[in-house]
Amino acid sequence: MDVACLYIRDFLVALARRDAPSLEGRPVVIGGSPDEHAAVIACSPEAAATGVTVGMTLRRALALCHDAVFLPHQESQSTAEANRVVTLLNRYSPLVEAIAPGHVHFEARGLAQMSGMSEVAFFGDLYQAMRAETGLPISLGVAETVFAAHAVAISDARFAAPGPSSPIPSARWSTARTRTKENAEAEEPGPVLVPTGQDKAYLARLPIEVLPVSPLMHQRLRQFGLERLGQVAKLSFSAMQAQFGLDGARAWNLANGKDNSLIVPGRDELRIDEEMELPAPTALSEPIVVATRVLLQRGLQHPDIRGQSLRRLDWRLGLESGEQISRKFVFREPTNDVPRMLFVARSRIERLQLASAAVSVGVTLSGICSEYGHQANLWPVGPRRQKELVEAVEQLNERAGGPQVFRIVEVQPWSRIPERQLGLAAFGP
Amino acid sequence: MVQDPGAAAGSGRFRPLNQPAPLAVEATPRGEPVALLWRGTYKRVLAIHESWRIDDEWWREEISRRYHLVELEGGRRITIFQDLVTDAWYAQPYEAPKGSGHRHST
């Protein structure tokens, strides 16, 4: 088994229920209060059963589901929790790919052997550890291909979750389910392990909704009477391709256990940290600005970002009292120009009211990218610029002995004769 | 009161735009172009998408032109006209006059 998929169904709802267990079993809608002009970001299966869908207005959601609990979307908390899941999996696997919040694929090849355990025991332990650490209802699928692991994990989540939205009839699904021996007997949740070489057999009983194609194609497949991946796999490749094009070909391959997708681990963002102790504690802004300039120059000379620009600067000031003041600057255009960065930062530094003397300054450069072309406006508003332009044109005319710069003017815009409509008039007085 | 710009009017300070460019055209007796010499290359006219006629200034130097929006082999579309006074052919991008509505095909 090479690949694993960890999936937390309705991640935002799961988080809310973990923090407030009284919400268990009640319809939950996330997005804000119904009197706000906002949309549903997530909803529980109980709310979905009444017709609530992601993207509809909260008012409409209230109309459909009177007894729903409406909760605000705590984006920073959910992002932190999603990152935590990835960080926890990084302890186990060298390749972890975050697909969406609460949905992670990771390389599973050789992990059990490395820890000297059987695969059943290893993934059982991993499953229990992740559940305990996150406190969330996770599903774990392990298979030979990315799609198979993904499909069994999301199907397992839907099977386990209550509510009529589950597309998988329990009885049929349970026959295809292979759990670890221990939890199979006790009917406890656990990882779903697909033995090597049996991806196709496992996939055969899964509903077509696990295929990563458009909902319209799911609908059309059902209209053709195709409900399970096994039925899709039995069709001829050319028939699927003829009917659905590239998506059909892909669906056929996936249904037959043919998937060449790889885990693409997320790359850590490059950040450059520079720190400096001030020679003496100070409450004046000028030494702090000077120190900031030195740190920026030093940071921009870092070999990893030399010649590149940055979008974001995090600035920190350590105080004698032990407190720290931080400010975030986001540049409208990427820059590697220290005076320009200081121009943005200086006014905010000078406005600081320090409770005690500053002892250290630190900067973090992030949002590293290449600088795009920056071109000044040729015709900026302002009489001074206009005068400079007129003088430059006059100089050019003098040198050439006649008008060299023209502007298009309307002569007889009403004329039916094209050459009478417009003309070129010499630029300048 | 318009201020005197202090610059000499006339020579060099104004240039006409969109002047007709003479063109060698092979046409039917009815005056429909069938081929032309475009930038040194003989090109057949694949289609005439639109034709319209302009008659103007008959009270002084008469202007009478029949314009054709033609498609040449290779896909290029150009606007050409035949001067009905001199029978000469020209190429000239055509812009409908402002406020006059759409041109009328004939």
Side-chain angles (χ1 to χ4, degrees), chain A residues 101-298:
Chain A
H103 186 180
V104 184
H105 292 167
F106 59 97
E107 178 85 35
R109 191 185 310 169
L111 296 183
Q113 288 88 329
M114 259 173 54
S115 50
M117 299 165 80
S118 71
E119 285 185 328
V120 171
F122 175 81
F123 289 111
D125 277 4
L126 191 151
Y127 178 85
Q128 295 301 340
M130 289 300 293
R131 267 184 86 96
E133 292 256 19
T134 61
L136 294 167
I138 65 165
S139 299
L140 185 65
V142 191
E144 207 174 342
T145 64
V146 172
F147 173 68
H150 167 85
V152 294
I154 66 167
S155 303
D156 187 46
R158 289 178 190 177
F159 169 72
S165 63
S166 171
I168 306 164
S170 318
R172 286 195 195 178
W173 170 232
S174 57
T175 56
R177 191 181 186 84
T178 295
R179 294 206 175 278
T180 58
K181 191 181 172 187
E182 296 82 0
N183 60 41
E185 284 166 2
E187 278 302 319
E188 283 175 7
V192 183
L193 309 182
V194 180
T196 304
Q198 292 189 31
D199 279 8
K200 187 178 171 184
Y202 263 68
L203 290 170
R205 302 198 182 200
L206 298 185
I208 50 154
E209 277 74 18
V210 299
L211 285 170
V213 293
S214 68
L216 187 67
M217 184 166 159
H218 290 150
Q219 197 183 339
R220 287 187 63 203
L221 285 168
R222 284 207 172 263
Q223 283 168 348
F224 280 116
L226 301 168
E227 295 181 349
R228 308 272 149 192
L229 293 188
Q231 292 170 291
V232 174
K234 278 182 190 160
L235 295 172
S236 75
F237 174 78
S238 54
M240 279 293 285
Q241 192 174 35
Q243 188 61 238
F244 298 103
L246 277 178
D247 278 348
R250 182 151 182 257
W252 186 88
N253 279 323
L254 293 177
N256 279 284
K258 296 175 181 175
D259 178 25
N260 296 325
S261 337
L262 299 169
I263 304 283
V264 183
R267 287 175 59 191
D268 289 336
E269 190 192 10
L270 179 61
R271 297 162 73 92
I272 305 294
D273 282 303
E274 291 290 346
E275 205 83 40
M276 175 192 274
E277 295 286 328
L278 292 170
T282 179
L284 300 172
S285 62
E286 200 47 41
I288 298 172
V289 171
V290 171
T292 306
R293 178 187 294 127
V294 171
L295 290 176
L296 287 174
Q297 285 166 343
R298 205 193 287 169

Side-chain angles (χ1 to χ4, degrees), chain B residues 31-45:
Chain B
E32 288 169 349
V34 289
L36 53 86
L37 199 62
W38 178 250
R39 294 179 180 167
T41 311
Y42 181 83
K43 298 269 186 190
R44 278 183 299 129
V45 173

Side-chain angles (χ1 to χ4, degrees), chain A residues 16-181:
Chain A
R17 284 180 169 162
R18 182 194 65 184
D19 298 341
S22 61
L23 295 174
E24 201 61 54
R26 296 180 64 187
V28 177
V29 175
I30 293 180
S33 164
D35 52 6
E36 290 176 27
H37 289 285
V40 174
I41 291 171
C43 64
S44 66
E46 294 83 0
T50 64
V52 177
T53 54
V54 171
M56 73 165 46
T57 62
L58 292 167
R59 278 174 196 224
R60 175 101 183 105
L62 178 65
L64 290 169
C65 191
H66 300 286
D67 54 346
V69 180
F70 287 80
L71 297 172
H73 177 211
Q74 295 176 325
E75 198 175 349
S76 52
Q77 188 216 357
S78 58
T79 307
E81 287 289 342
N83 290 340
R84 191 159 158 259
V85 171
V86 175
T87 311
L88 288 171
L89 285 175
N90 268 317
R91 288 188 201 162
Y92 296 95
S93 171
L95 289 179
V96 179
E97 179 181 5
I99 307 295
H103 186 180
V104 184
H105 292 167
F106 59 97
E107 178 85 35
R109 191 185 310 169
L111 296 183
Q113 288 88 329
M114 259 173 54
S115 50
M117 299 165 80
S118 71
E119 285 185 328
V120 171
F122 175 81
F123 289 111
D125 277 4
L126 191 151
Y127 178 85
Q128 295 301 340
M130 289 300 293
R131 267 184 86 96
E133 292 256 19
T134 61
L136 294 167
I138 65 165
S139 299
L140 185 65
V142 191
E144 207 174 342
T145 64
V146 172
F147 173 68
H150 167 85
V152 294
I154 66 167
S155 303
D156 187 46
R158 289 178 190 177
F159 169 72
S165 63
S166 171
I168 306 164
S170 318
R172 286 195 195 178
W173 170 232
S174 57
T175 56
R177 191 181 186 84
T178 295
R179 294 206 175 278
T180 58
K181 191 181 172 187

Side-chain angles (χ1 to χ4, degrees), chain A residues 285-360:
Chain A
S285 62
E286 200 47 41
I288 298 172
V289 171
V290 171
T292 306
R293 178 187 294 127
V294 171
L295 290 176
L296 287 174
Q297 285 166 343
R298 205 193 287 169
L300 287 168
Q301 281 171 4
H302 196 281
D304 288 344
I305 65 162
R306 192 171 291 169
Q308 290 187 290
S309 298
L310 55 113
R311 283 184 181 280
R312 181 173 160 162
L313 165 66
D314 289 285
W315 180 87
R316 300 175 298 280
L317 189 69
L319 302 182
E320 209 169 17
S321 59
E323 288 175 78
Q324 194 177 67
I325 296 173
S326 62
R327 293 287 181 270
K328 180 177 85 176
F329 303 100
V330 179
F331 304 113
R332 202 171 53 175
E333 287 177 353
T335 181
N336 57 8
D337 184 26
V338 173
R340 207 162 142 210
M341 291 181 209
L342 274 180
F343 177 77
V344 176
R346 179 187 282 270
S347 61
R348 287 180 67 184
I349 295 174
E350 286 174 348
R351 279 207 304 272
L352 285 175
Q353 303 274 333
L354 301 181
S356 64
V359 291
S360 68

Side-chain angles (χ1 to χ4, degrees), chain B residues 7-8 22 27 33 58 90 97:
Chain B
W58 50 266
Y90 299 89

Side-chain angles (χ1 to χ4, degrees), chain A residues 394 397 403 426-429, chain B residues 3-11 13:
Chain A
E394 278 178 356
N397 292 347
F427 182 83
Chain B
Q3 279 188 337
D4 180 7
S11 67
R13 293 199 62 79

